[in-house]
DNA sequence: ACATTAAGTGATT
DNA sequence: AATCACTTAATGT
């Protein structure tokens, strides 16, 4: 049973009956930063509803390199996971905690009945798909049309949004891995951005001024 | 003081 | 834009 305080931040999303149902069947899960929540090939048993924190969703290419797909933020759920629930297939993606995260886990068995029963649930699922589809299109655009320097700027602003801070604690190497690039290139681009006054660099830290 | 890790740089492909 | 080879700077032990 989930307490009222825990459900509170999500209240605006669902109708009262459904909120009560979520409280009854859901469980709260706390996941520390850096933990892998879902890995490739795993079967999904729970639908995650994100209360706080952020989750990074990546795909792995043939050479074992991770490619950043998108971040899951507050009030959202992972569309890829939903897909797996509906199709009952295994995960195509890996989900890693970007920050300490709390979420509600709802067993997948409620997916179908709730779709039939609750209007707000349908809307929620539908909107998640819609949002994700849009973001995926943007991600594809970014990969094919944006140059690395533009991708880097987008990456940094996404990051600071997700961590609610203009000062990121991250190394150039980590950025390079997320963007499928090399550390040297990232260092040079960051240097350029620093000269343009867009960022301030320090060891393990980047301050954003955009 | 020394080793380790992060970041900067020139040259090459 | 990537890789190599090397330097410099910051941090941990």
């Amino acid at each position: 049973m989930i307490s009222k305080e825990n459900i509170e931040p999500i209240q605006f999303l669902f109708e009262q009956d459904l909120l009560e149902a979520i409280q009854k069947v859901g469980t709260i899960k706390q996941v520390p930063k850096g933990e892998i929540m879902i890995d490739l090939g795993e079967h999904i048993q729970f639908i995650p509803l994100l209360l706080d924190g952020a989750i990074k969703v990546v795909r792995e290419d043939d050479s074992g390199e991770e490619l950043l797909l998108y971040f899951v933020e507050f009030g959202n759920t992972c569309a890829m996971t939903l897909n797996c629930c509906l199709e009952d297939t295994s995960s195509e993606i890996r989900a890693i905690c970007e920050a300490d995260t709390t979420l509600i886990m709802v067993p997948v068995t409620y997916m179908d009945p709730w779709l039939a029963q609750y209007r707000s649930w349908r809307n929620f699922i539908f909107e998640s798909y819609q949002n994700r589809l849009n973001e995926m299109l943007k991600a594809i655009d970014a990969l094919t049309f944006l140059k690395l320097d533009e991708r880097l700027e987008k990456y940094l602003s996404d990051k600071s949004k997700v961590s609610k801070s203009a000062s990121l604690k991250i190394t150039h190497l980590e950025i390079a891995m997320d963007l499928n690039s090399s550390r040297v290139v990232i260092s040079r681009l960051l240097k350029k951005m620093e000269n343009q006054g867009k960022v301030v660099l320090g060891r393990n830290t980047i301050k954003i001024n955009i």
Side-chain angles (χ1 to χ4, degrees), chain A residues 115-127:
Chain A
L115 276 177
Q117 207 173 337
Y118 299 109
R119 185 191 167 73
S120 60
W121 183 253
R122 277 198 301 277
N123 283 344
F124 176 66
I125 299 298
F126 188 67
E127 270 175 38

Side-chain angles (χ1 to χ4, degrees), chain A residues 84-99:
Chain A
C84 296
C85 296
L86 288 170
E87 301 286 326
D88 193 32
T89 54
S90 51
S91 177
E92 297 284 323
I93 50 90
R94 169 179 296 156
I96 304 167
C97 271
E98 180 71 15

